[in-house]
Amino acid sequence: MSRDDAPAFFEGPPDGFRGGEDLGAPGSFPFTRGVYRSMYRGRLWTMRQYAGFGTAGETNARYRFLLERGTTGLSVAFDLPTQMGYDSDAAMAAGEVGRVGVAIDSIADMRTLLGGIDLGGISCSMTINATAPVLLALYTAVADETGVSRDRLRGTVQNDVLKEYVARGTYIYPVRPSLRLVSDLMAFAAAELPRWNAISVSGYHMREAGSTAAQEVAFTLSNGVEYVRRALARGIALEDFAPRISFFFAAHNDLFEEVAKFRAARRIWARVMKERFGASDRSCRLRFHTQTGGSTLTAQQPLNNVVRVTVQALAGVLGGTQSLHTNSYDEALALPGPAAAGLALRTQQILAAESGVAAWADPLGGSFLVEHLTDRVEADALTLMWRIEEMGGSPEAIDHMRDEIHRAAYRHQLAVEAGTRVVVGVNRHATGEPHEPPAGPDFGELEARQTAALAAFRKGRDPGAVAASLADVGAAARGDDNMLPVMIEAVKRGVTLGEISDALRSVWGTYDNPP
C-alpha cells in the first residue's frame, strides 16, 4: 500500500478508536493475535533455509553446513525435472538437471540426500506439488529402511497443485486426477504419518507472480477450502486432517501491510473453518511458514537485499509465523553461496536473540494502523473469496485467479517503470555498477554425473519387479484405491520418479494450459 492510499486519519488515531479492546488474546479464537498463547516465549519459530544444489550429495553437504550453524529444520528445493515428473535422462530434462534445486530420480538419491540426518529428530519441508506423492513415498521408504517409525516423521509436503495452475506452472495431469492425488496423500498422512503436514496451501507463489496482499490471502484460503471439501469427500474425518493443514505465505517490503495480512488470514480461516465446517478450535488455527520475497530481490546493488530480507523477516515474526526462511542476498544473481546463506540464517537468529520481538505475542496488536489494515485486508480478501465461490470454487476459478494476478503484476511493473513505486538501486539511487553473476557449477558435467548414476542404478534393479510395480501403479490410477502405498512399494523396488509419472500420464494424460 502506498502513502497515497492511506486515509487522512493515519496522522493519528481516529475518533472513537479503542486500541486493543475486543481483540481477544493470543491463542484464542479467531486467532487474530496468534495461534498460541505464549507464541515465541514458549517456542521460537522453526528456522529453515530452503536449499537444493544439483545432486543429492551436494545438497546433503549444504544441509550439514546449515545444521552446524543452527538451522532447526530442513527445506528441500527440487530441480525442474523432478518437479515435472521427469527422470534426469529424459529428453525433456536436458539442460535443466540440477539447475534450480536437487535432482531426485530414485530411492538411491533420496538415501544420499538424507544421509546422516536423523529423520526422527528433525522436521523436513519439501516444496513439491505435482510429484508430491512420489517424493513423500521416497522419504517414507528411506525412513522405513533406516528404522524410523512413521509416527515419528515430522515435516511438510507442499502438495498444493491448485496454485500450480494459477501461478507457478509445474503441473502435470488434468485438474481432477491431480486433486485425487492431493486427497490420497492427505488420507495416507492422516492414517500413517500423524505428525506430518500433508498439505501446505501456498500463497507465496501467487505473490511472487505479482498478486496483491489481499489476493494472496483470498486465493490461498479459497484453495484451502477446496482441499477441505475434497478431503471430506474422500471420507477423512475433519479432525483427523484439519489440524495438520499448513499454509505458506510470502513476506514483502510493506512492513505493516504484511503484518496485517498474516493477522487477517488467521481470522478469516478460523471463521471459515468454524462456521462452514464446524471445526474445533484446534482445527481452526492457521499455522504458516513464511519465506521472504524472492521477487523483491535485485541484481543491482545486491547487498541492499540484506536490508530487504531483514524487514521482511521482521514482518513474518511480528505477524506470528511458525516457520521462516530468509533469502540470501545473492539469489538474484545465482544459487546462494555459503557466506550469503549463513548471513541469511544469522538474520533470523539476531531477530530471535537480540531484537526483543520474540518476547511479545502480537506486539503490534491494538495499533490503530495495524488494526485498520487488518480489517481492510480481511474485507478485500473476503470480497475476492466470495467471487470465487460464485464461480463454483477454486477449480472453476483457475483462469479468473490467474488473470487477476497478471493484471496486478502489470500494474506493479508500470509503477516501477514510472518511478511511482521506488526500488532502491534500480529506479532510484542507481549507480550503474556492473552486477555480473558469480561463476556457477558446470551444469553439463553435473547432468552427466547424475544420468550416469541413474543408469547404474537401473542396471541393479530386478526388471520383473519394476514391471509389476508399474502395472500396479497404472491399475491404481484407473481405480479408486489410495496411490501412496502402491508408490511406496514401487520405489522400494527401484521404480524411478519419472517412470511412475509416465505411468500416470499414460492413464490420465496431461493438462493443457488454455491460451
Side-chain angles (χ1 to χ4, degrees):
M1 187 185 74
S2 71
R3 288 177 180 160
D4 292 340
D5 297 324
F9 70 68
F10 275 26
E11 297 172 2
D15 292 340
F17 180 73
R18 296 181 297 172
E21 293 181 24
D22 303 325
L23 287 179
S28 62
F29 184 90
F31 306 107
T32 308
R33 307 197 64 198
V35 291
Y36 303 116
R37 182 178 180 182
S38 61
M39 287 304 290
Y40 307 131
R41 293 194 303 273
R43 176 184 175 185
L44 282 176
W45 63 90
T46 301
M47 298 182 190
R48 300 187 189 277
Q49 290 303 119
Y50 186 48
F53 290 85
T55 67
E58 291 165 314
T59 305
N60 178 267
R62 175 56 63 93
Y63 291 154
R64 290 173 175 272
F65 170 87
L66 292 168
L67 288 167
E68 289 168 0
R69 282 154 181 79
T71 191
T72 54
L74 302 181
S75 186
V76 187
F78 297 97
D79 74 351
L80 194 57
T82 303
Q83 295 179 50
M84 298 295 292
Y86 294 109
D87 287 334
S88 295
D89 59 358
M92 287 291 288
E96 293 292 344
V97 174
R99 284 187 177 267
V100 299
V102 61
I104 299 294
D105 296 318
S106 69
I107 194 169
D109 290 328
M110 188 62 82
R111 291 181 190 124
T112 301
L113 180 74
L114 302 174
I117 296 171
D118 178 12
L119 300 189
I122 195 164
S123 105
C124 179
S125 173
M126 294 190 283
T127 302
I128 196 72
N129 296 281
T131 54
V134 186
L135 270 301
L136 184 61
L138 288 164
Y139 192 94
T140 305
V142 170
D144 289 349
E145 285 183 349
T146 54
V148 180
S149 63
R150 294 179 180 182
D151 62 0
R152 291 180 59 208
L153 296 179
R154 294 184 297 117
T156 302
V157 64
Q158 196 161 93
N159 194 31
D160 175 9
V161 76
L162 283 171
K163 69 96 175 44
E164 297 298 324
Y165 301 110
V166 172
R168 192 161 178 259
T170 60
Y171 44 72
I172 302 175
Y173 319 110
V175 176
R176 187 178 298 276
S178 292
L179 288 171
R180 179 258 178 102
L181 285 177
V182 170
S183 56
D184 276 2
L185 194 156
M186 294 177 73
F188 175 79
E192 298 282 336
L193 307 174
R195 304 179 73 188
W196 196 271
N197 298 320
I199 191 164
S200 175
V201 191
S202 175
Y204 179 85
H205 301 100
M206 298 184 196
R207 193 65 181 280
E208 291 292 278
S211 79
T212 66
Q215 287 172 340
E216 180 187 3
V217 170
F219 299 164
T220 304
L221 299 190
S222 290
N223 287 349
V225 168
E226 183 63 28
Y227 294 131
V228 171
R229 288 174 177 149
R230 296 276 170 167
L232 292 172
R234 182 72 169 68
I236 317 172
L238 181 69
E239 299 300 324
D240 287 344
F241 72 86
R244 303 309 304 181
I245 296 175
S246 66
F247 291 82
F248 176 23
F249 292 113
H252 278 209
N253 290 329
D254 190 325
L255 177 70
F256 297 112
E257 183 180 52
E258 292 299 289
V259 173
K261 177 188 76 178
F262 299 133
R263 299 171 87 249
R266 273 196 299 269
R267 192 155 73 198
I268 295 171
W269 184 251
R271 289 172 174 166
V272 167
M273 291 298 289
K274 179 75 71 176
E275 295 168 13
R276 178 171 297 187
F277 299 107
S280 69
D281 281 5
R282 179 168 175 260
S283 294
C284 291
R285 291 189 177 112
L286 184 148
R287 299 171 303 113
F288 67 97
H289 170 70
T290 303
Q291 181 171 337
T292 58
S295 65
T296 70
L297 303 180
T298 64
Q300 301 91 331
Q301 302 177 22
L303 284 174
N304 293 350
N305 296 327
V306 175
V307 182
R308 293 185 177 101
V309 168
T310 303
V311 171
Q312 294 164 6
L314 182 60
V317 172
L318 292 173
T321 191
Q322 278 61 68
S323 172
L324 180 62
H325 163 88
T326 35
N327 289 327
S328 301
Y329 70 82
D330 57 355
E331 287 189 44
L333 295 168
L335 289 172
L343 179 58
L345 176 59
R346 292 289 182 257
T347 301
Q348 294 199 49
Q349 292 167 335
I350 290 169
L351 286 176
E354 299 184 26
S355 71
V357 295
W360 305 94
D362 190 34
L364 297 184
S367 155
F368 76 91
L369 171 60
V370 171
E371 297 305 337
H372 168 78
L373 290 175
T374 301
D375 291 346
R376 174 170 158 173
V377 173
E378 179 184 31
D380 290 348
L382 286 171
T383 299
L384 294 166
M385 291 176 72
W386 179 246
R387 173 65 177 142
I388 292 169
E389 287 296 293
E390 287 182 322
M391 299 176 73
S394 287
E396 304 303 320
I398 287 171
D399 292 345
H400 166 72
M401 289 188 281
R402 185 190 297 129
D403 290 345
E404 290 298 302
I405 292 172
H406 289 173
R407 289 189 180 95
Y410 182 60
R411 290 192 297 269
H412 173 87
Q413 184 61 30
L414 288 178
V416 171
E417 292 177 5
T420 55
R421 181 178 290 272
V422 175
V423 183
V424 173
V426 176
N427 63 4
R428 190 175 297 181
H429 310 300
T431 61
E433 296 172 4
H435 43 273
E436 292 296 323
D442 182 342
F443 285 108
E445 186 272 338
L446 185 153
E447 184 170 329
R449 280 192 286 119
Q450 181 68 17
T451 54
L454 178 57
F457 174 79
R458 285 200 175 108
K459 287 182 180 178
R461 302 185 304 182
D462 177 346
V466 169
S469 287
L470 286 172
D472 290 343
V473 169
R478 286 185 287 270
D480 297 321
D481 291 342
N482 195 305
M483 296 289 300
L484 266 295
V486 177
M487 288 183 180
I488 292 171
E489 183 61 27
V491 299
K492 287 181 176 181
R493 292 181 175 183
V495 180
T496 66
L497 174 140
E499 290 166 342
I500 291 174
S501 301
D502 284 343
L504 298 181
R505 285 185 185 95
S506 69
V507 176
W508 294 333
T510 56
Y511 176 76
D512 291 324
N513 187 20

